[in-house]
Amino acid sequence: MIAPVLSFSQVPPSSSGSSKISLCQLPLEVLEKIATYIAADTLIPPMLPLQLTCKHLYNALSVHSNPHLYALLFVDWFDVSAAIRRFGLQTVNSTFARQFVQYCYAVQAIRSGDIHSRGVLSTFWTAFTMLTEDDGKNRRILETAGLPDFVDRFVRERLYEQHINGWPAENDVNSLALWLLWLTSSEERLQAESPAQRSQLIRLILPFVLMPIRYPATLAPYVHFSLPLPNCPSHTPHSVPTSHGSYPHYRDDNPAILDLYHSSQTEIGTPLASTAAKLIYFSRKEVFPVVVPSHLPLTREHAFQLGLNMVGPTQEDVHELNAHKIAQLVEPADVDWQMHVKGWERMNIEDSVNKAPSARWDNDWNRLTDCNTLYRTVSLRRSHYTPGSLAGLWQGRMLVPDNGAYGHLFESPDMPSDFSEHSLGVAAASLFMRLREYYCMDVEPNTPVPAGRYDDLSFNAWFPSSMKYQEIEDKLSISYLSTNTSTSGQQRSTSTARKQVYILNNPDGPTLHYESQCRGCQDRGTCKVAYRSKDAAFLAEAERQLDEMLLATPLPDGEMDDRVESEDEDDAMDVDQTVEMMAKRRCDGIMDIVLVGETDTRHAQAWHPYRFYGRVREWDGLIALMRVPGLSVNPHPLSASILMGYLVGGQTLVGNWRVTERPNEPVTFEGAWVMSKQA
């Protein structure tokens, strides 16, 4: 690769008449070109011998003296859109070089194949970050390096190394291994697994799927709607001790510290192992389709012709189950994704990076970096869930274990030798729901419906237990009992309050947010919201660090991205440099999101009718949905179940379900569920 670069016919002969030229005499631009060609196949390692040739080449090509070169290599080899969205353009521009070295070390560690390396946790964190930033390049590099086989071997050989009473530990390395295994799962790999390999993997991850009493499914207990919690022991809810630990789970405030892009260290919480395990489990179960019983009617019309009017599936209904995968695999992004974005060439950098495929992981990433302590206000508003994501038809499955078998399992902290789906009597039930989203906008005099108390004997998806609702055209009317207390505090009266401020989300209709009417926009004086406007100390430190980096490190120029120079000058290197330390978004004016829906008539005839209603928790984007049998508007709440979970990767709902009564007591009847939206 070097030869073409060194064959310069136009190079003048030296004074001695020789046409030879030393590498040290080449201009820096040519040396950078040589280094770029050398790094074309395996990134950094081949460059080291060139750097060690002499002191001149080391100084010319080292990352410390030539960050410009490594920044160019980073943009050429890795995806940058997610970093720009999450950390701000100027922040990442000045640290691309350091990030390039970090990513290269991780790629080399994966190539080594050493799953017992002392640095495997760091490698997993870097690979996980790269996959949440993937726009086509990152995943290709990691898969070429052998990441799918690397994590597969780790899960099969090391998942139970630090077991507790036989149960696999939920620690950083195990959680990341399960997430990487899911993120690198593909249809080709699923089909290549032998039945024995598939069974082994399901057996290994099964505790994370079926034991919510040991492995939490939420970042904060679902019984809380308003977070953060008061940092006061007398007001902090207490868990109930069980043989398997305290329940519900209040996760330790011990986030990992990652060195990403900017000089300040990034706190990030451990991703939930149970979420990844459920996706792995259902994806393997879906390799083989559900058997279509031959005795079933062919279609619903055929059933009616036979006089069968009761609820039950037809062969057509079972075929529909098989036609749609509920654990949708993460499809590799197209490296040339920009070619499919209309008007991309005319967009500024801020707008264009929002169109990148990696944007689907922003809510998941924000959730981990922002919601790792229950006692601190999140710095990201309404960025853990994208409004409108849940509207539409969803299909899924829920696992229904035997209550008696669970009861026996809770009596001992040890993992039984026969722990399996069969020993717990696990059955699968189909789920269908069509949801609509209603918003409470930040407009005078709107206020959201108050949340129900966490210590109520029943859980009603964060609504007051007396809540009733009615849909009228494009409005949602909610009524509930409200307790009024006199100023003296002696008299209390109960009356019915009614909220009719929830407006239906219609993506094809006019916008619901107007800056001139939004109280938040008026209070700020702008519609732009900075992600990390935490406090003055952070901003002052950010400004100081940016000044130092700008003085010490030349920023990559227009060769990286010709559109960077087309940005507004005020957004590039302006006097208010603290703004450049923050990614920005526009206010959406939404104070509360309420979900309402039901089972479609066609699916209700096959899988029973249900009504759904719930809310989205602003703190972390947790979704709670009441699932009430029948289509009656106000059945008894204790006949219902509650679905709780997160929208993963913008496409799959994953969580646990349980009965609604006594929400703070240990789990007695709970199971996993996964759903994805039908096209």
Side-chain angles (χ1 to χ4, degrees):
M1 287 185 178
I2 301 179
V5 181
L6 298 181
S7 299
F8 297 108
S9 59
Q10 62 271 41
V11 175
S14 64
S15 57
S16 62
S18 172
S19 61
K20 294 182 180 180
I21 184 171
S22 168
L23 280 174
C24 296
Q25 295 176 285
L26 292 174
L28 179 59
E29 294 81 3
V30 177
L31 288 177
E32 291 178 350
K33 197 68 173 178
I34 294 172
T36 301
Y37 274 104
I38 290 176
D41 290 330
T42 53
L43 301 176
I44 278 185
M47 292 176 59
L48 296 178
L50 180 62
Q51 294 176 26
L52 297 176
T53 300
C54 65
K55 186 175 182 180
H56 172 78
L57 292 180
Y58 179 81
N59 290 333
L61 300 176
S62 73
V63 66
H64 301 292
S65 60
N66 196 346
H68 170 87
L69 168 63
Y70 292 85
L72 291 175
L73 289 173
F74 183 84
V75 174
D76 187 44
W77 274 90
F78 299 106
D79 296 303
V80 299
S81 295
I84 294 172
R85 284 195 312 275
R86 297 169 187 174
F87 299 108
L89 178 60
Q90 295 300 333
T91 303
V92 295
N93 265 359
S94 56
T95 53
F96 277 156
R98 185 166 47 133
Q99 202 66 22
F100 177 77
V101 176
Q102 179 180 332
Y103 282 7
C104 286
Y105 281 144
V107 171
Q108 286 304 114
I110 295 167
R111 280 181 176 150
S112 73
D114 184 6
I115 62 171
H116 298 278
S117 168
R118 294 176 60 182
V120 69
L121 176 58
S122 176
T123 300
F124 280 177
W125 270 121
T126 302
F128 177 77
T129 301
M130 292 174 66
L131 287 176
T132 66
E133 296 177 343
D134 177 56
D135 290 321
K137 296 179 183 179
N138 289 2
R139 177 165 177 167
R140 181 181 61 185
I141 289 177
L142 290 172
E143 289 187 343
T144 301
L147 179 63
D149 291 332
F150 190 89
V151 295
D152 185 87
R153 287 179 50 224
F154 183 95
V155 170
R156 296 180 190 276
E157 298 179 27
R158 298 193 59 188
L159 191 65
Y160 281 69
E161 274 191 358
Q162 301 180 41
H163 69 85
I164 302 173
N165 297 326
W167 301 100
E170 185 183 35
N171 50 32
D172 286 15
V173 70
N174 280 354
S175 297
L176 290 168
L178 292 178
W179 272 99
L180 292 173
L181 182 61
W182 163 248
L183 291 171
T184 56
S185 294
S186 64
E187 189 63 35
E188 181 181 5
R189 292 188 63 83
L190 292 184
Q191 296 297 331
E193 285 180 344
S194 68
Q197 290 174 322
R198 190 176 299 112
S199 297
Q200 179 197 29
L201 187 59
I202 290 176
R203 177 178 57 81
L204 290 172
I205 67 169
L206 201 58
F208 294 102
V209 179
L210 298 181
M211 289 294 290
I213 196 168
R214 296 193 66 94
Y215 308 102
T218 60
L219 299 179
Y222 67 88
V223 293
H224 304 290
F225 182 63
S226 299
L227 292 163
L229 299 177
N231 198 2
C232 176
S234 63
H235 292 86
T236 302
H238 296 284
S239 299
V240 178
T242 74
S243 298
H244 294 269
S246 299
Y247 186 89
H249 302 274
Y250 289 85
R251 305 183 83 198
D252 295 334
D253 182 14
N254 188 28
I257 305 297
L258 303 185
D259 192 12
L260 291 174
Y261 297 104
H262 49 70
S263 296
S264 60
Q265 294 179 318
T266 300
E267 291 185 0
I268 183 168
T270 305
L272 295 166
S274 65
T275 301
K278 293 179 181 76
L279 290 166
I280 295 170
Y281 171 87
F282 280 101
S283 67
R284 268 61 185 180
K285 286 294 184 179
E286 288 185 302
V287 169
F288 297 107
V290 178
V291 176
V292 182
S294 59
H295 68 275
L296 293 179
L298 298 177
T299 63
R300 186 61 50 192
E301 291 74 14
H302 184 207
F304 291 154
Q305 292 172 4
L306 297 176
L308 301 176
N309 298 319
M310 72 288 290
V311 172
T314 66
Q315 293 188 33
E316 183 181 40
D317 294 320
V318 180
H319 284 303
E320 182 185 12
L321 292 182
N322 292 327
H324 179 75
K325 301 291 187 181
I326 61 170
Q328 293 188 1
L329 302 175
V330 180
E331 294 295 330
D334 186 353
V335 177
D336 298 321
W337 60 269
Q338 302 95 330
M339 304 297 293
H340 308 294
V341 178
K342 185 178 180 179
W344 182 83
E345 300 83 357
R346 298 184 297 276
M347 293 181 183
N348 60 35
I349 192 71
E350 188 178 58
D351 291 336
S352 63
V353 297
N354 288 330
K355 301 294 185 180
S358 57
R360 61 182 168 178
W361 295 108
D362 283 357
N363 290 328
D364 304 81
W365 177 261
N366 294 338
R367 196 176 295 135
L368 293 178
T369 56
D370 206 36
C371 306
N372 44 49
T373 173
L374 305 183
Y375 304 98
R376 186 173 65 199
T377 303
V378 293
S379 57
L380 311 181
R381 290 192 67 249
R382 191 60 64 198
S383 56
H384 308 114
Y385 172 79
T386 301
S389 298
L390 288 182
L393 176 62
W394 292 80
Q395 174 185 331
R397 292 185 194 175
M398 58 191 300
L399 300 184
V400 184
D402 179 75
N403 201 21
Y406 253 143
H408 291 299
L409 187 62
F410 292 161
E411 296 175 358
S412 171
D414 299 322
M415 181 177 176
S417 58
D418 64 342
F419 181 82
S420 66
E421 300 161 279
H422 178 73
S423 67
L424 290 179
V426 175
S430 298
L431 280 172
F432 284 89
M433 63 181 181
R434 185 177 295 278
L435 294 180
R436 296 171 293 283
E437 287 194 9
Y438 288 89
Y439 304 148
C440 179
M441 305 302 295
D442 194 2
V443 178
E444 187 70 33
N446 289 354
T447 57
V449 172
R453 291 170 54 85
Y454 75 84
D455 54 354
D456 282 345
L457 291 181
S458 63
F459 183 69
N460 198 33
W462 300 312
F463 286 110
S465 57
S466 58
M467 173 265 200
K468 300 178 181 179
Y469 69 85
Q470 183 179 12
E471 294 180 272
I472 305 173
E473 295 181 349
D474 61 346
K475 299 287 195 305
L476 182 69
S477 177
I478 300 176
S479 61
Y480 56 96
L481 295 180
S482 175
T483 301
N484 301 313
T485 305
S486 66
T487 56
S488 63
Q490 300 300 318
Q491 297 180 347
R492 296 171 63 86
S493 62
T494 301
S495 60
T496 300
R498 183 175 295 276
K499 298 284 186 181
Q500 201 165 355
V501 299
Y502 288 86
I503 305 174
L504 179 65
N505 168 47
N506 182 2
D508 300 324
T511 179
L512 301 179
H513 178 242
Y514 297 95
E515 296 181 39
S516 59
Q517 301 176 15
C518 177
R519 285 177 295 196
C521 294
Q522 293 172 357
D523 291 342
R524 289 185 301 268
T526 177
C527 186
K528 284 190 175 182
V529 182
Y531 274 162
R532 280 181 273 122
S533 54
K534 284 185 182 178
D535 49 42
F538 174 84
L539 295 176
E541 175 65 12
E543 184 173 7
R544 182 190 66 77
Q545 292 173 358
L546 181 59
D547 288 340
E548 290 183 357
M549 287 188 291
L550 292 177
L551 290 174
T553 306
L555 294 175
D557 58 25
E559 291 180 44
M560 287 174 41
D561 193 324
D562 294 334
R563 296 167 299 136
V564 174
E565 295 183 359
S566 67
E567 274 198 302
D568 294 337
E569 293 182 1
D570 293 339
D571 286 340
M573 296 287 291
D574 205 9
V575 291
D576 188 9
Q577 292 171 334
T578 59
V579 176
E580 295 303 337
M581 297 299 292
M582 298 175 286
K584 293 178 287 189
R585 67 178 178 91
R586 297 184 68 84
C587 171
D588 56 23
I590 298 175
M591 294 191 294
D592 189 24
I593 298 178
V594 172
L595 308 165
V596 173
E598 63 283 318
T599 311
D600 286 342
T601 301
R602 180 169 63 89
H603 297 119
Q605 290 174 327
W607 314 108
H608 297 279
Y610 290 94
R611 182 172 58 90
F612 298 86
Y613 62 89
R615 297 175 101 161
V616 179
R617 186 165 70 182
E618 182 180 17
W619 187 75
D620 60 348
L622 179 66
I623 297 153
L625 284 168
M626 291 292 295
R627 179 176 179 259
V628 183
L631 297 180
S632 172
V633 177
N634 297 298
H636 195 282
L638 296 187
S639 64
S641 57
I642 180 75
L643 305 173
M644 301 153 294
Y646 296 105
L647 185 59
V648 177
Q651 66 179 14
T652 309
L653 280 168
V654 186
N656 284 346
W657 72 273
R658 62 164 294 169
V659 293
T660 60
E661 57 264 40
R662 297 179 175 85
N664 262 354
E665 290 190 3
V667 183
T668 56
F669 201 77
E670 186 167 351
W673 62 281
V674 171
M675 301 187 81
S676 59
K677 189 182 293 188
Q678 282 199 15

